[in-house]
Amino acid sequence: MGRTATLTLAAVTALAAGLVVSAPIARAEPAQLAGTLHARLGPASAGSYVDDSGQLVVTVTDATAAKAVTAAGARARVVEHSAATLDATTEVLDRTAKIPGTSWGVDPVTNQVVVSADTTVTGDALARLRNVVAGLGDTARLEQVGGSFRPTITGGDAILGGGVRCSLGFNVKTPGTSTAFLLTAGHCGNATSTWSTSGGQVIASRVGTSFPGNDYALFRYTSSINRPGSVNLYNGSQRDIARAGDPVVGQTVGRSGSTTGFHRGKVTGLNVTVNYVDGTTVTGMIGTTVCVQGGDSGGPLFADDTALGLTSGGSGDCTSGGRSFYQPVTEALRAYGVAIY
């Protein structure tokens, strides 16, 4: 994929498509219930996920918290490691294992911090990582994955700027006004100050960008081009996006991008740290099993009509599969004071 960035015309204008969506994207209600329960339970909860039947499972560390979860309509599961214990494990990794080609985040299903190493982590670096993880006992586990973790930016058509192609995430506006903007990835925003269509029309100029650390950028529309609040499903139709929210582990999500179109997968982790092979690090990411390729960066991650994230990067491709990471869209919206419409 090389050094990459992506911005789909999905929310600007329909692009040529060839992928067929055969099933709807899962709704986002479990995430809303999860957020309510986590706020109520505080440190008594060690995370949550959606099981194969679609039911929300909330992990807890005591019987009192379990009763509260059951009363709210979710399934409680008592686990050994508290949120504080897993946070402490993550802090150790942040201090001692910041190796390019690695990522880590809490897996509530196994009640562990999962540490991933891509194919670029070898020799002394891999030995060091193994040693750190071994010292964390059963609070962490190490897995090796194919490909390499890279932010996705590539040359091509679609929306162009600074010699790169990106994918538009979501169209947004300042509440109470008609001033419109587009959100995309920060590493896209770092690459150019303006975006143009494949036909050469300049449509937006940069307001702000944040990468590394975060991965979001805001561009203000400078043209009258049509900009509906929807995303391209690459089957000849679009999905209207009505709100923004946060995902839950196990949730089925969709991702749209200008290179590979629409693909689905599941959320595997929240608050994930990724050390890309180019030496940059992003934190607080959403981890998924959705495939990505160069040119998909900045594109939207969503569930039904709820905006969830902006494509940051990943490993693998849409032939062999892989992992991908997303900037939570709610953080970007708060940073710029804008809203989905």
Side-chain angles (χ1 to χ4, degrees):
M1 288 186 289
R3 183 157 178 81
T4 44
T6 62
L7 197 68
T8 62
L9 278 170
V12 180
T13 185
L15 296 178
L19 298 179
V20 176
V21 181
S22 59
I25 304 167
R27 301 188 68 84
E29 285 81 351
Q32 297 166 5
L33 177 56
T36 299
L37 284 170
H38 289 314
R40 184 183 306 168
L41 296 171
S45 173
S48 61
Y49 59 95
V50 175
D51 65 17
D52 291 340
S53 69
Q55 183 177 19
L56 178 68
V57 180
V58 179
T59 62
V60 295
T61 52
D62 60 65
T64 300
K67 289 180 181 178
V69 170
T70 302
R75 180 163 71 87
R77 177 170 157 242
V78 179
V79 294
E80 178 183 357
H81 303 306
S82 67
T85 297
L86 298 179
D87 286 346
T89 291
T90 300
E91 290 172 2
V92 172
L93 291 163
D94 289 341
R95 293 195 310 269
T96 64
K98 194 168 285 187
I99 300 167
T102 61
S103 71
W104 49 80
V106 173
D107 177 7
V109 179
T110 62
N111 192 223
Q112 294 175 307
V113 175
V114 178
V115 182
S116 301
D118 69 19
T119 55
T120 68
V121 183
T122 59
D124 291 344
L126 182 57
R128 171 185 158 198
L129 186 63
R130 284 174 172 161
N131 185 60
V132 172
V133 173
L136 294 169
D138 66 355
T139 66
R141 77 174 189 273
L142 176 64
E143 63 179 16
Q144 293 179 269
V145 300
S148 59
F149 294 144
R150 300 178 184 273
T152 53
I153 187 170
T154 189
D157 53 13
I159 288 183
L160 307 174
V164 302
R165 171 167 57 89
C166 275
S167 297
L168 187 151
F170 300 100
N171 280 328
V172 297
K173 66 178 182 179
T174 304
T177 76
S178 59
T179 305
F181 306 85
L182 63 84
L183 280 173
T184 187
H187 67 275
C188 295
N190 288 358
T192 183
S193 60
T194 62
W195 289 113
S196 302
T197 66
S198 57
Q201 179 186 3
V202 177
I203 61 169
S205 63
R206 186 172 62 204
V207 174
T209 182
S210 182
F211 178 85
N214 301 306
D215 201 357
Y216 54 74
L218 186 73
F219 284 71
R220 180 174 179 172
Y221 280 106
T222 56
S223 77
S224 59
I225 191 168
N226 185 37
R227 42 183 182 265
S230 57
V231 297
N232 193 352
L233 295 182
Y234 284 85
N235 65 346
S237 68
Q238 297 185 16
R239 172 68 51 80
D240 183 58
I241 301 297
R243 61 185 60 83
D246 298 309
V248 63
V249 172
Q251 181 179 5
T252 299
V253 292
R255 189 271 306 152
S256 186
S258 61
T259 297
T260 60
F262 176 77
H263 287 272
R264 291 179 297 167
K266 289 193 174 184
V267 176
T268 57
L270 306 177
N271 197 30
V272 176
T273 294
V274 187
N275 300 297
Y276 288 126
V277 294
D278 66 357
T280 56
T281 297
V282 290
T283 60
M285 297 291 111
I286 301 165
T288 81
T289 61
V290 190
C291 66
V292 294
Q293 292 181 200
D296 288 329
S297 278
L301 179 75
F302 53 100
D304 196 43
D305 63 353
T306 301
L308 298 174
L310 304 166
T311 306
S312 176
S315 66
D317 55 44
C318 288
T319 299
S320 61
R323 307 290 184 86
S324 56
F325 307 101
Y326 302 82
Q327 163 69 51
V329 73
T330 51
E331 181 182 6
L333 295 173
R334 288 193 299 268
Y336 293 122
V338 293
I340 296 292
Y341 64 81

